[in-house]
Amino acid sequence: MGCGRVGSSLARSLEKRGHSVAVIDTNAESFRRLGPEFRGTTIKGVGFDRDVLERAGIRQADGFAAVSSGDNSNILAARVVREQFGVQNVVCRIYDQGRAEVYERLGIQTVATVRWAANQVLRGLLPEGSEPVWRDPAGNARLVQVHTHPDWVGHTVGQLRAAVRTPLPFIVRFGVGMVPDDQTVLQEGDLLYAAIELDRTDELEQILGAPPAR
């Protein structure tokens, strides 16, 4: 639901991956963003209207994305699709971070646009600390990109993992993600990610932000 820049890009990407896509929007002119090669279905209407959803094939849908520009419309559509049609794979775009956290606790995946953008900027401005890439709805566990002291370069992931006593699930090297094993050697420029409980974040930053113990 929603054929703005996000919705149209999402629809084209899904179709290129071989999925059947139906797009709902209140403005038929918005469908022009899909381009002439789009072969999916377009439906003019309100995305939380049951009849509109039926015409879009919601009963056969494996997933639903509510990505219009309105929080209220997105929330209502996501709840109708999940609660009345039983679609479990629902993602909802919400600008209000507080509301996003509430609906995450209700089992609806949310993308809080402002929070995501702010975190991306923070990771660029504050490389000495760690900022969460993902967190669970309760906020207890998180995946963080963490700064490592230059002296850790040349050490293995196994050595880093032993030092911090927490999983280090992946590294981004030259813009490409990889899943390391204990023998993977940390190189200059690597972006290291750690899975950590909230109350151990400061400890993690202190250990990896300092040179390895001799």
Side-chain angles (χ1 to χ4, degrees), residues 64-67 71-84 87-94 97-112 115 134-137:
F64 180 83
V67 292
D71 279 7
N72 290 336
S73 296
N74 289 342
I75 290 168
L76 186 54
R79 294 195 62 180
V80 169
V81 167
R82 185 179 174 89
E83 296 170 12
Q84 298 187 26
V87 178
Q88 296 302 307
N89 189 16
V90 176
V91 182
C92 183
R93 179 188 190 183
I94 300 180
Q97 178 178 336
R99 297 171 82 183
E101 292 173 354
V102 169
Y103 282 95
E104 281 183 349
R105 293 190 180 98
L106 294 176
I108 295 174
Q109 298 180 66
T110 64
V111 178
R115 179 180 66 191
W134 173 90
R135 71 185 76 194
D136 78 296

Side-chain angles (χ1 to χ4, degrees), residues 4-19:
R5 285 175 295 180
V6 173
S8 58
S9 177
L10 178 62
R12 291 193 303 269
S13 296
L14 287 168
E15 191 173 63
K16 285 179 182 178
R17 287 167 170 78
H19 296 279

